[in-house]
Amino acid sequence: MNILVIGGGGREHAIIKALKKNKDVEQVYCLPGNGGIQGDAECYPVGAKNIPLIVHFAETHKIDYAVVAQDDPLALGCVDALNALSIPCFGPDKKAARIEASKVFAKELMKKYGIPTAKYEVFTEARKALDYVESCPIPTVVKADGLALGKGVTVCMTREEAKKAVVSCMEDKAFGEAGRSIVIEEYLEGPEVSVLSFTDGETVVPMVSSMDHKRAHDGDEGPNTGGMGTIAPNPYYTPQVAAECMEKIFMPTIRAMAAEGCPFKGCLYFGLMITKDGPKVIEYNCRFGDPETQVVLPLLKSDLLTVMRATTEGKLAETPVEFSQKSAACVIIASKGYPVRYESGFKIELPAPEEGKEIYVAGAERRPDGLYSKGGRVLGVTAVEDSLEKAVAAAYAYAGKVSFSNGYMRSDIGKKALEVLEG
Ligand code: AMP
Ligand code: GLY
């Protein structure tokens, strides 16, 4: 089979490595990929938002199955365009991708179907939003409606910050069209859990839970990033929480999407907060998380391609999806200064392969003499072990063998989770 993966970060590298375990996979292409992914797939510099060129590529390269891994092409209808040529795809169509691409759509869906989430108001005029902020409960959270590279959410501890966030979104257009409408929502407190799930529109199969570390620095300080590391499973996601999520969040969401005429097929990511009133949805993503994928897929025992095709074909109910009982940790090595200001073009030397460890390349280019950093998040170093403690130690030990002079990593990935486990 010829497989096409659309995207070019660490998540895509993890997906490709997992897909290649299937013996029927002959050729994997990745658009645009990166210098590290080039070791595992044929990469071409076609941007993930260039739908006409992606479709042309898929046609001329006789693609049998495509995995659209990134949010932008999903929101732009890449799956619809490929399906129109009878190329089966993993991922939601454009209508279903709204669950991530429009926070207003997601919030209204949750309200209509009674899915637990923060209370909210929607605004399309800055003046009305500013009036509301004068008297709303503080802290509050201001969210741009559309896709904003993960930067469209501002948690505001003061009224002044909330006003600034409204002005930045709606008047200064910091996120362009994405901030034309905004959601202002109730501030929730509690530990966060990421649950990625496979769904074919009717059946939903949660994957092993995970915990992201979004802030740039140790102790959850510094600016929000795309994610500086992950662990799985997440100790806050107890069997009781899992059962409550299935009953009140996962199944109701899948049914709601079907009832709205946009059944969701692919990977639906539930960003949850475990509040004192039970689990609530912080956000939905219409795709695998990055870097959650880098700890979740190494724990998948079933064949990824088989499970993906079952979601496309509506056969998930009869397809076994098994996860290992082990634990995984992923430490991101970013460029110094990420996410604010950083330089690229530093040489990277990767250590020799080791059992139970993987390095997923997120941002690098290949030059004749080797790999050079390119971008903010550069590498994801994952280890799988019998316990979380061992997985964290092994990921850091392996990361320590990487040579990359401009590299920066947090030193406390998994610390909070280990504290929970130790009680
Ligand atoms: P998002 O981009 O939607 O994942 O939001 C980024 C981060 O903002 C989340 O991971 C939370 O830590 C925080 N956040 C989002 N919504 C809320 C909320 N209603 N209350 C508290 N924190 C929130
Ligand atoms: N790690 C968060 C995300 O993928 O959105």
Side-chain angles (χ1 to χ4, degrees):
M1 282 181 82
N2 292 332
I3 308 282
L4 172 62
V5 175
I6 293 144
R11 163 186 55 203
E12 287 74 10
H13 201 184
I15 290 171
I16 288 167
K17 281 191 187 257
L19 287 171
K20 286 180 73 175
K21 292 184 184 160
N22 182 306
K23 288 193 299 295
D24 294 335
V25 172
E26 288 150 291
Q27 179 65 272
V28 183
Y29 299 99
C30 187
L31 306 179
N34 68 45
I37 295 177
Q38 269 175 45
D40 289 287
E42 233 177 84
C43 300
Y44 291 89
V46 173
K49 291 200 226 178
N50 193 338
I51 309 297
L53 212 51
I54 292 169
V55 169
H56 177 72
F57 184 96
E59 223 179 354
T60 50
H61 289 78
K62 304 203 166 21
I63 297 302
D64 299 299
Y65 192 71
V67 177
V68 186
Q70 204 176 302
D71 50 3
D72 291 308
L74 289 166
L76 290 168
C78 191
V79 167
D80 311 57
L82 290 168
N83 284 344
L85 294 174
S86 302
I87 297 172
C89 292
F90 182 80
D93 63 11
K94 186 175 179 173
K95 266 177 102 181
R98 286 179 301 167
I99 200 162
E100 172 172 2
S102 168
K103 298 219 189 273
V104 174
F105 173 84
K107 294 300 287 191
E108 283 173 356
L109 186 86
M110 288 186 271
K111 190 186 225 172
K112 181 168 172 187
Y113 292 90
I115 297 164
T117 187
K119 295 194 196 85
Y120 71 100
E121 299 285 338
V122 175
F123 297 93
T124 50
E125 287 174 47
R127 195 182 42 78
K128 289 196 177 153
L130 289 168
D131 279 352
Y132 174 76
V133 164
E134 282 299 343
S135 57
C136 75
I138 293 292
T140 190
V141 185
V142 177
K143 300 186 169 184
D145 174 50
L147 296 177
L149 297 168
K151 296 186 187 122
V153 174
T154 316
V155 177
C156 310
M157 302 314 286
T158 65
R159 227 170 271 293
E160 276 318 302
E161 276 180 73
K163 282 185 206 164
K164 254 200 214 151
V166 169
V167 169
S168 154
C169 266
M170 303 188 89
E171 290 184 348
D172 302 344
K173 307 250 182 301
F175 312 111
E177 280 303 295
R180 183 190 271 276
S181 302
I182 62 167
V183 169
I184 302 185
E185 72 177 31
E186 177 195 10
Y187 172 77
L188 298 177
E189 279 177 288
E192 289 183 53
V193 178
S194 304
V195 180
L196 319 186
S197 69
F198 291 109
T199 171
D200 59 5
E202 274 184 38
T203 300
V204 59
V205 180
M207 300 182 218
V208 62
S209 62
S210 54
M211 183 193 287
D212 194 2
H213 297 66
K214 287 204 168 107
R215 301 296 197 100
H217 306 305
D218 283 8
D220 292 331
E221 304 272 350
N224 254 319
T225 70
M228 292 299 292
T230 36
I231 58 98
N234 185 324
Y236 288 109
Y237 193 70
T238 60
Q240 293 90 308
V241 171
E244 198 176 346
C245 287
M246 193 62 173
E247 185 199 329
K248 295 187 178 152
I249 297 176
F250 304 163
M251 272 321 294
T253 303
I254 299 308
R255 286 197 205 103
M257 291 297 279
E260 291 296 307
C262 46
F264 190 101
K265 291 183 174 205
C267 173
L268 183 53
Y269 167 133
F270 298 90
L272 306 167
M273 196 173 269
I274 315 303
T275 73
K276 61 176 178 11
D277 304 320
K280 295 192 178 180
V281 177
I282 286 283
E283 64 163 349
Y284 293 114
N285 290 323
C286 67
R287 49 165 178 88
F288 281 96
D290 189 342
E292 284 88 343
T293 308
Q294 291 90 313
V295 285
V296 170
L297 290 186
L299 295 174
L300 177 67
K301 286 192 354 198
S302 309
D303 174 58
L304 178 63
L305 182 60
T306 305
V307 178
M308 284 183 158
R309 292 175 76 189
T311 71
T312 309
E313 291 160 13
K315 293 185 179 157
L316 201 51
E318 63 247 39
T319 305
V321 184
E322 266 191 84
F323 282 87
S324 146
Q325 295 300 311
K326 293 184 177 185
S327 297
C330 173
V331 175
I332 296 292
I333 308 184
S335 298
K336 276 179 195 156
Y338 169 77
V340 184
R341 258 169 76 157
Y342 53 84
E343 289 175 62
S344 292
F346 291 82
K347 184 115 203 259
I348 303 166
E349 309 265 9
L350 300 180
E354 287 182 23
E355 179 73 25
K357 304 193 181 74
E358 284 285 359
I359 297 188
Y360 302 114
V361 179
E365 65 178 345
R366 195 166 288 277
R367 296 186 193 166
D369 65 334
L371 209 55
Y372 285 79
S373 63
K374 189 179 179 192
R377 289 188 294 176
V378 177
L379 304 170
V381 182
T382 294
V384 173
E385 286 286 347
D386 292 333
S387 71
L388 182 61
E389 190 177 7
K390 284 189 195 162
V392 170
Y396 273 111
Y398 200 43
K401 296 182 184 174
V402 171
S403 158
F404 167 34
S405 64
N406 195 43
Y408 166 77
M409 54 186 155
R410 273 179 65 160
S411 68
D412 65 347
I413 301 304
K415 186 164 176 251
K416 205 196 270 176
L418 287 171
E419 284 166 7
V420 176
L421 288 174
E422 282 156 15

